[in-house]
Amino acid sequence: MSKALKIVMGITMLTGGIMAQKMTVHAAESNTRTGQAVRMNGTVSLASQVENNPAVKAAHYQVTQAVQALTMATTAVKTAMSDLQAAQTTLDAANKTLAKNQKIQTHMGVLKQAATDRHVKATKALDEQLATKKTSQTAVTTAQAAVTKSQAAVQVAQSNFDKDNSAANKVTLQTTQAKLKTVQETLTAAQANLDKTNEHVMMAEEELANAKIEVSGTSRDFQMAQRDYDIVQPQAAVNQAKAAVTAKLQRVAGTQDQVVTAQRELSQAQAGLTTVRARTLATLTAAAEKPMTEKPVGERPVVSHSTGTSTSTNQSAAPQATPDKPTLNQSSSASVPTAQRVVTTQPRQATTVLRTTSPAMAKPVTQQTVPTTATKTATLPQTGEQTNRVLTVLGFVLLAATSLFGFSKQQRRHKTTD
């Protein structure tokens, strides 16, 4: 082997050693980062176990059901209030219609009653005037008879005085003439009173006729008002609307009671969820803090993320060779503390992890030392990190091989030339 070939091979080996050392440093850093991530994931896993616990899920379900019941009860209250408002609006409209019809009918009834009273009054006045007329007529008749009698007496006295102009006949004539004059005045007064009474009778008859017309008109208007502005149907509508309002009020009261009950059940469900969550968290935390005294030193638990269970395999005390392809299970088992690996016995599910603020979560998890054989296992590299290092090494190897191939070809060419 020539000196140049030895130099190239030495450079290649030196480069490979440097790259191997760099890969070792990167692996250690990756191991540290992975251990920190797994330790952080231990806390998340504990909270996830609390939320995925069947009792906690059942309590969550109870809270969800209580929330749904409260929502439905609140919606029922709003619906009942809306129905009550609609029923009250209907009742107000029915009362307004009834009041209007009652007002119209009352007004027409008042007019009819006034016309009736007027007719009664006119009838009474006419009867009084007729009676007065009868009295006046009698007085006129009496006065006429007295006048006729006085006129006869005057004629006799005048005849006697014509026959004998004596003083006695003269006095008798004068007396009869004075009496005739008085009777004639009485007849004139009686006749005037009769004429006046006749005028009153005519006025009373006219008033009575007008009263009859008014009674007829108001009676017809009242009948039309009773027909067009009926109060029977509006009254029935008012009664029906009142019954509806009463029913809606009872419905509102019932739905409000349902809301109160739903709120109480929701509070109880939330309190139960808090209690179950705290109890579950305390149980898991106590299990996580329990020391692993049953397992030997050479036993290394392996966590399977596919099943969520922890298994143990016996490892020899001798150092283990680093596997070609590091696995996630080995990396997790080498980095996660024993107390945390014990609690990760629940299957991983795609659920949102709720970080609780209980004191149990704030307490740091006790970490135990892991045997040296377990810490020498391969760690999970970061995304693209191992690929870049492999490509870098392959590039250096190919470069060295190409240089060696070119140098060998040039050396053969020199030999052939010589």
Side-chain angles (χ1 to χ4, degrees):
M1 183 179 297
S2 63
K3 184 177 180 180
L5 182 59
K6 290 181 180 180
I7 293 173
V8 172
M9 290 182 65
I11 293 174
T12 302
M13 292 178 65
L14 180 60
T15 303
I18 294 173
M19 293 304 301
Q21 186 177 3
K22 185 180 291 187
M23 290 177 64
T24 304
V25 173
H26 282 292
E29 294 177 355
S30 177
N31 188 15
T32 303
R33 290 193 298 268
T34 304
Q36 294 176 355
V38 170
R39 284 193 296 273
M40 293 177 63
N41 192 25
T43 304
V44 176
S45 177
L46 183 60
S48 178
Q49 289 182 53
V50 172
E51 297 303 323
N52 291 332
N53 187 272
V56 176
K57 286 186 176 181
H60 268 299
Y61 180 75
Q62 294 296 331
V63 171
T64 302
Q65 293 295 320
V67 170
Q68 292 179 355
L70 179 59
T71 302
M72 293 177 62
T74 304
T75 304
V77 168
K78 292 181 180 179
T79 303
M81 291 296 292
S82 178
D83 294 341
L84 175 61
Q85 185 176 3
Q88 187 64 45
T89 302
T90 302
L91 176 60
D92 294 340
N95 282 325
K96 185 176 181 180
T97 302
L98 178 61
K100 182 187 70 174
N101 291 1
Q102 286 177 342
K103 183 177 181 180
I104 293 175
Q105 286 198 14
T106 300
H107 180 68
M108 298 309 298
V110 170
L111 293 179
K112 179 183 177 183
Q113 185 63 37
T116 303
D117 294 341
R118 180 183 177 184
H119 180 269
V120 172
K121 184 178 180 180
T123 302
K124 183 178 179 180
L126 179 60
D127 293 340
E128 291 177 355
Q129 295 300 325
L130 290 175
T132 303
K133 179 181 179 180
K134 186 177 180 180
T135 303
S136 299
Q137 186 67 42
T138 302
V140 169
T141 302
T142 303
Q144 285 180 351
V147 167
T148 301
K149 184 177 180 181
S150 294
Q151 287 178 350
V154 168
Q155 288 179 358
V156 172
Q158 183 68 39
S159 176
N160 292 332
F161 181 74
D162 291 339
K163 290 178 180 181
D164 183 8
N165 293 327
S166 62
N169 289 335
K170 185 178 180 181
V171 170
T172 302
L173 176 61
Q174 291 177 348
T175 302
T176 54
Q177 286 179 345
K179 187 177 181 179
L180 175 61
K181 185 178 179 181
T182 301
V183 174
Q184 286 179 343
E185 290 177 354
T186 301
L187 176 61
T188 302
Q191 188 64 44
N193 190 19
L194 178 61
D195 295 338
K196 187 176 181 180
T197 302
N198 288 331
E199 291 179 359
H200 290 167
V201 169
M202 292 177 60
M203 293 175 61
E205 289 177 349
E206 184 178 359
E207 175 65 19
L208 180 60
N210 293 331
K212 288 181 179 180
I213 295 174
E214 185 176 359
V215 167
S216 177
T218 54
S219 298
R220 184 175 59 255
D221 294 340
F222 182 71
Q223 292 177 355
M224 293 178 62
Q226 286 181 330
R227 182 191 62 190
D228 298 336
Y229 300 96
D230 182 28
I231 62 174
V232 176
Q233 293 183 356
Q235 185 64 53
V238 167
N239 296 334
Q240 184 178 1
K242 286 182 178 179
V245 168
T246 303
K248 299 305 180 183
L249 285 173
Q250 294 176 355
R251 176 61 180 168
V252 168
T255 53
Q256 289 176 347
D257 293 339
Q258 291 178 0
V259 168
V260 173
T261 302
Q263 289 176 346
R264 182 173 61 252
E265 292 178 353
L266 177 59
S267 299
Q268 293 176 356
Q270 290 175 343
L273 174 60
T274 303
T275 302
V276 171
R277 183 181 290 161
R279 184 168 58 248
T280 303
L281 180 61
T283 302
L284 294 177
T285 305
E289 293 178 352
K290 185 177 180 181
M292 298 295 296
T293 58
E294 297 84 358
K295 296 183 180 181
V297 177
E299 185 175 359
R300 177 169 58 86
V302 178
V303 178
S304 176
H305 290 279
S306 61
T307 60
T309 58
S310 176
T311 59
S312 299
T313 57
N314 294 327
Q315 302 291 337
S316 61
Q320 298 293 328
T322 303
D324 295 336
K325 295 182 179 180
T327 61
L328 180 61
N329 293 336
Q330 293 175 349
S331 175
S332 300
S333 62
S335 303
V336 180
T338 305
Q340 295 180 359
R341 292 199 302 273
V342 172
V343 299
T344 55
T345 58
Q346 296 286 340
R348 294 181 179 269
Q349 299 181 1
T351 58
T352 303
V353 177
L354 299 177
R355 296 184 179 271
T356 60
T357 59
S358 61
M361 289 298 297
K363 185 176 181 180
V365 181
T366 304
Q367 298 184 1
Q368 298 180 359
T369 58
V370 182
T372 307
T373 57
T375 59
K376 290 183 180 182
T377 57
T379 58
L380 181 63
Q382 298 296 324
T383 304
E385 182 179 357
Q386 184 178 2
T387 305
N388 293 333
R389 290 199 297 269
V390 172
L391 292 177
T392 303
V393 174
L394 290 178
F396 277 108
V397 172
L398 290 176
L399 180 60
T402 304
S403 301
L404 180 60
F405 178 74
F407 182 78
S408 299
K409 186 175 180 181
Q410 185 177 3
Q411 189 176 13
R412 288 197 300 271
R413 186 179 301 171
H414 282 297
K415 288 182 179 181
T416 305
T417 304
D418 295 339

